[in-house]
Amino acid sequence: MLELQGVTKKFGGLVAVNNVDLSVGEGEILGLVGPNGAGKTTLLNVISGIYRPDTGSIRYQGQDISRLSMNALCKKGIAKTFQHTHSFPGLTARESVMIGSLFGNGHRVTRDEASREAEHLLGRVGFPAERVDLLLSNLNVIELRRTQLARALASRPRILLLDELMTGLNPQEGSEAVSLIKSLRDDGITIVLIEHVMRVILGVSDRVVVLDHGEKIADATPDEIVRDQRVIDSYLGERYAC
Ligand SMILES: Nc1ncnc2c1ncn2[C@@H]1O[C@H](COP(=O)(O)OP(=O)(O)OP(=O)(O)O)[C@@H](O)[C@H]1O
Ligand SMILES: [Mg+2]
């Protein structure tokens, strides 16, 4: 479904993503991990059109998308949530999700339909029903992340890129989020997720890719990843042993 070849993204002299090859199959859940600053967010930003790669190609359903804008990619069914939840503080949660329905992946809905869809999707991602008409500026960070996910879903994505969606969740909320991600995949959505909580990544991913200093150092099943010495040395270390 998605195929990256030799993708590099630099910021000045800093090579944030270095010659990365990556493929994601339709219906797959791909976990992306690595130390802070490894280039995970940058890689998703390149896929979703926020940045253009300096070199390399990105193909989506057979088409080269490496020069398309984020807007064009959204209309093709590529949606992303953001690690840092910055959005329109003057909108309510409902309105923010309605934007996804009204301007997302090319389907036509009325305002009323978009409003009902927003309420339904916010419920699906665990957003409290009594808070859907509060301004985003009054929401906590977890509610903002849930709103972002609902907005991404409202755009009817075929592939969903999730950047640390579960940070700050307690263990119970974390398991609910894992079930939600699996149910989204069962609905036919392909998922790439960045997450630091290894229990979550290993539990939800079909395959895990590890980045370190911008380079891909491993690409394997969860079982293989936890036994990979290079991954243990650069990232897992004590983390998984605990
Ligand atoms: N817009 C930018 N301008 C300059 N440097 C950037 C920019 N975005 C990221 N970087 C740098 O690129 C490198 C990779 O950053 P990135 O945010 O992709 O890492 P990450 O793996 O997502 O880390 P984290 O786990 O902390 O979120 C870092 O050194 C970061 O400082
Ligand atoms: Mg990041």
Side-chain angles (χ1 to χ4, degrees), residues 207 218-229 231-232 236:
R207 192 156 55 91
D219 185 339
T221 63
D223 283 354
E224 291 162 337
I225 285 291
V226 296
R227 286 186 267 113
D228 184 311
Q229 197 56 46
V231 176
I232 293 168
L236 289 180

Side-chain angles (χ1 to χ4, degrees), residues 13-213:
L14 177 87
V15 186
V17 172
N18 193 357
N19 198 24
V20 168
D21 296 334
L22 181 74
S23 68
V24 188
E26 182 149 16
E28 194 173 24
I29 301 179
L30 180 77
L32 190 54
V33 300
N36 293 121
K40 305 178 296 295
T41 295
T42 305
L43 187 62
L44 289 200
N45 285 344
V46 168
I47 295 171
S48 61
I50 294 171
Y51 300 134
R52 300 225 158 129
D54 293 307
T55 57
S57 70
I58 306 174
R59 297 183 79 76
Y60 169 67
Q61 297 183 314
Q63 190 198 352
D64 187 341
I65 57 160
S66 40
R67 305 281 137 198
L68 295 186
S69 68
M70 195 179 161
N71 217 1
L73 293 176
C74 179
K75 293 209 186 303
K76 287 187 177 294
I78 301 180
K80 179 177 185 293
T81 66
F82 292 86
Q83 179 174 2
H84 301 291
T85 46
H86 47 70
S87 40
F88 318 100
L91 295 183
T92 66
R94 181 198 300 272
E95 288 165 344
S96 149
V97 178
M98 284 170 66
I99 290 178
S101 298
L102 293 167
F103 304 107
N105 189 3
H107 61 292
R108 291 265 168 269
V109 290
T110 63
R111 272 190 73 88
D112 280 352
E113 284 165 345
S115 173
R116 280 195 298 276
E117 188 172 44
E119 208 169 304
H120 167 73
L121 289 172
L122 283 163
R124 184 168 183 196
V125 303
F127 186 96
E130 68 280 7
R131 292 171 69 80
V132 297
D133 291 314
L134 291 188
L135 292 175
L136 296 181
S137 51
N138 292 326
L139 301 183
N140 66 41
V141 71
I142 290 174
E143 290 165 341
L144 287 172
R145 287 211 185 92
R146 293 191 197 279
T147 308
Q148 274 202 38
L149 176 57
R151 182 170 55 206
L153 291 174
S155 75
R156 306 200 180 188
R158 305 209 47 196
I159 181 161
L160 194 52
L161 311 172
L162 305 175
D163 196 347
E164 298 203 23
L165 194 70
M166 299 183 217
T167 304
L169 297 185
N170 67 35
Q172 152 104 23
E173 293 165 334
S175 334
E176 286 163 8
V178 166
S179 306
L180 173 64
I181 286 170
K182 288 184 171 165
S183 81
L184 295 175
R185 186 260 293 277
D186 293 342
D187 286 353
I189 304 176
T190 302
I191 294 166
V192 180
L193 79 158
I194 298 174
E195 206 57 61
H196 280 293
V197 184
M198 284 312 285
R199 186 174 41 80
V200 167
I201 281 286
L202 298 174
V204 80
S205 307
D206 299 312
R207 192 156 55 91
V208 178
V209 163
V210 186
L211 288 186
D212 188 22
H213 293 99

Side-chain angles (χ1 to χ4, degrees), residues 231-242:
V231 176
I232 293 168
D233 291 344
S234 77
Y235 181 58
L236 289 180
E238 307 291 305
R239 187 186 298 257
Y240 188 61
C242 296

